[in-house]
PDB file of all heavy atoms in Angstrom:
ATOM      1  N   ALA A 500      23.292 -17.452  12.641  1.00  0.00           N
ATOM      2  CA  ALA A 500      22.388 -18.211  13.501  1.00  0.00           C
ATOM      3  C   ALA A 500      22.262 -17.547  14.869  1.00  0.00           C
ATOM      4  O   ALA A 500      21.168 -17.448  15.436  1.00  0.00           O
ATOM      5  CB  ALA A 500      22.886 -19.651  13.644  1.00  0.00           C
ATOM      6  N   LYS A 501      23.393 -17.095  15.418  1.00  0.00           N
ATOM      7  CA  LYS A 501      23.360 -16.402  16.713  1.00  0.00           C
ATOM      8  C   LYS A 501      22.511 -15.131  16.619  1.00  0.00           C
ATOM      9  O   LYS A 501      21.665 -14.857  17.474  1.00  0.00           O
ATOM     10  CB  LYS A 501      24.777 -16.045  17.158  1.00  0.00           C
ATOM     11  CG  LYS A 501      25.701 -17.231  17.436  1.00  0.00           C
ATOM     12  CD  LYS A 501      27.029 -16.734  17.995  1.00  0.00           C
ATOM     13  CE  LYS A 501      28.007 -17.874  18.258  1.00  0.00           C
ATOM     14  NZ  LYS A 501      28.613 -18.404  17.023  1.00  0.00           N
ATOM     15  N   GLU A 502      22.757 -14.363  15.559  1.00  0.00           N
ATOM     16  CA  GLU A 502      21.998 -13.119  15.378  1.00  0.00           C
ATOM     17  C   GLU A 502      20.514 -13.403  15.248  1.00  0.00           C
ATOM     18  O   GLU A 502      19.672 -12.684  15.800  1.00  0.00           O
ATOM     19  CB  GLU A 502      22.514 -12.382  14.131  1.00  0.00           C
ATOM     20  CG  GLU A 502      22.019 -10.952  13.979  1.00  0.00           C
ATOM     21  CD  GLU A 502      20.611 -10.854  13.398  1.00  0.00           C
ATOM     22  OE1 GLU A 502      20.160 -11.815  12.726  1.00  0.00           O
ATOM     23  OE2 GLU A 502      19.946  -9.816  13.614  1.00  0.00           O
ATOM     24  N   ALA A 503      20.160 -14.462  14.496  1.00  0.00           N
ATOM     25  CA  ALA A 503      18.753 -14.799  14.285  1.00  0.00           C
ATOM     26  C   ALA A 503      18.072 -15.172  15.597  1.00  0.00           C
ATOM     27  O   ALA A 503      16.915 -14.793  15.836  1.00  0.00           O
ATOM     28  CB  ALA A 503      18.634 -15.946  13.281  1.00  0.00           C
ATOM     29  N   SER A 504      18.768 -15.891  16.456  1.00  0.00           N
ATOM     30  CA  SER A 504      18.161 -16.277  17.739  1.00  0.00           C
ATOM     31  C   SER A 504      17.883 -15.040  18.593  1.00  0.00           C
ATOM     32  O   SER A 504      16.841 -14.958  19.264  1.00  0.00           O
ATOM     33  CB  SER A 504      19.076 -17.251  18.488  1.00  0.00           C
ATOM     34  OG  SER A 504      20.272 -16.609  18.916  1.00  0.00           O
ATOM     35  N   LEU A 505      18.812 -14.081  18.573  1.00  0.00           N
ATOM     36  CA  LEU A 505      18.601 -12.857  19.353  1.00  0.00           C
ATOM     37  C   LEU A 505      17.549 -11.961  18.694  1.00  0.00           C
ATOM     38  O   LEU A 505      16.797 -11.261  19.380  1.00  0.00           O
ATOM     39  CB  LEU A 505      19.923 -12.102  19.508  1.00  0.00           C
ATOM     40  CG  LEU A 505      21.024 -12.852  20.277  1.00  0.00           C
ATOM     41  CD1 LEU A 505      22.291 -12.010  20.361  1.00  0.00           C
ATOM     42  CD2 LEU A 505      20.546 -13.241  21.676  1.00  0.00           C
ATOM     43  N   TYR A 506      17.475 -11.999  17.357  1.00  0.00           N
ATOM     44  CA  TYR A 506      16.429 -11.242  16.642  1.00  0.00           C
ATOM     45  C   TYR A 506      15.045 -11.762  17.045  1.00  0.00           C
ATOM     46  O   TYR A 506      14.113 -10.978  17.312  1.00  0.00           O
ATOM     47  CB  TYR A 506      16.626 -11.367  15.141  1.00  0.00           C
ATOM     48  CG  TYR A 506      15.384 -11.026  14.330  1.00  0.00           C
ATOM     49  CD1 TYR A 506      15.018  -9.697  14.104  1.00  0.00           C
ATOM     50  CD2 TYR A 506      14.566 -12.034  13.822  1.00  0.00           C
ATOM     51  CE1 TYR A 506      13.872  -9.394  13.388  1.00  0.00           C
ATOM     52  CE2 TYR A 506      13.415 -11.740  13.106  1.00  0.00           C
ATOM     53  CZ  TYR A 506      13.069 -10.416  12.886  1.00  0.00           C
ATOM     54  OH  TYR A 506      11.930 -10.111  12.178  1.00  0.00           O
ATOM     55  N   LEU A 507      14.893 -13.085  17.085  1.00  0.00           N
ATOM     56  CA  LEU A 507      13.608 -13.673  17.458  1.00  0.00           C
ATOM     57  C   LEU A 507      13.261 -13.335  18.903  1.00  0.00           C
ATOM     58  O   LEU A 507      12.093 -13.093  19.231  1.00  0.00           O
ATOM     59  CB  LEU A 507      13.635 -15.181  17.251  1.00  0.00           C
ATOM     60  CG  LEU A 507      13.711 -15.632  15.788  1.00  0.00           C
ATOM     61  CD1 LEU A 507      13.897 -17.145  15.703  1.00  0.00           C
ATOM     62  CD2 LEU A 507      12.471 -15.207  15.015  1.00  0.00           C
ATOM     63  N   LEU A 508      14.272 -13.321  19.775  1.00  0.00           N
ATOM     64  CA  LEU A 508      14.024 -12.904  21.154  1.00  0.00           C
ATOM     65  C   LEU A 508      13.537 -11.458  21.189  1.00  0.00           C
ATOM     66  O   LEU A 508      12.622 -11.113  21.948  1.00  0.00           O
ATOM     67  CB  LEU A 508      15.305 -13.057  21.985  1.00  0.00           C
ATOM     68  CG  LEU A 508      15.187 -12.597  23.438  1.00  0.00           C
ATOM     69  CD1 LEU A 508      14.254 -13.504  24.215  1.00  0.00           C
ATOM     70  CD2 LEU A 508      16.572 -12.555  24.105  1.00  0.00           C
ATOM     71  N   ASN A 509      14.129 -10.623  20.357  1.00  0.00           N
ATOM     72  CA  ASN A 509      13.733  -9.226  20.286  1.00  0.00           C
ATOM     73  C   ASN A 509      12.254  -9.097  19.902  1.00  0.00           C
ATOM     74  O   ASN A 509      11.495  -8.313  20.482  1.00  0.00           O
ATOM     75  CB  ASN A 509      14.603  -8.489  19.263  1.00  0.00           C
ATOM     76  CG  ASN A 509      14.556  -6.994  19.433  1.00  0.00           C
ATOM     77  OD1 ASN A 509      15.279  -6.422  20.243  1.00  0.00           O
ATOM     78  ND2 ASN A 509      13.696  -6.339  18.658  1.00  0.00           N
ATOM     79  N   GLN A 510      11.829  -9.889  18.896  1.00  0.00           N
ATOM     80  CA  GLN A 510      10.436  -9.859  18.468  1.00  0.00           C
ATOM     81  C   GLN A 510       9.517 -10.351  19.582  1.00  0.00           C
ATOM     82  O   GLN A 510       8.461  -9.751  19.841  1.00  0.00           O
ATOM     83  CB  GLN A 510      10.239 -10.730  17.221  1.00  0.00           C
ATOM     84  CG  GLN A 510      11.056 -10.309  16.011  1.00  0.00           C
ATOM     85  CD  GLN A 510      10.732  -8.900  15.571  1.00  0.00           C
ATOM     86  OE1 GLN A 510      11.465  -7.958  15.863  1.00  0.00           O
ATOM     87  NE2 GLN A 510       9.618  -8.750  14.871  1.00  0.00           N
ATOM     88  N   LEU A 511       9.904 -11.426  20.232  1.00  0.00           N
ATOM     89  CA  LEU A 511       9.086 -12.013  21.290  1.00  0.00           C
ATOM     90  C   LEU A 511       8.949 -11.063  22.473  1.00  0.00           C
ATOM     91  O   LEU A 511       7.846 -10.829  22.981  1.00  0.00           O
ATOM     92  CB  LEU A 511       9.714 -13.336  21.722  1.00  0.00           C
ATOM     93  CG  LEU A 511       9.012 -14.150  22.809  1.00  0.00           C
ATOM     94  CD1 LEU A 511       7.570 -14.435  22.433  1.00  0.00           C
ATOM     95  CD2 LEU A 511       9.761 -15.453  23.055  1.00  0.00           C
TER      96      LEU A 511
END
Side-chain angles (χ1 to χ4, degrees):
K501 296 185 181 76
E502 192 280 338
S504 68
L505 297 180
Y506 161 78
L507 292 173
L508 178 67
N509 198 84
Q510 300 300 101
L511 181 55

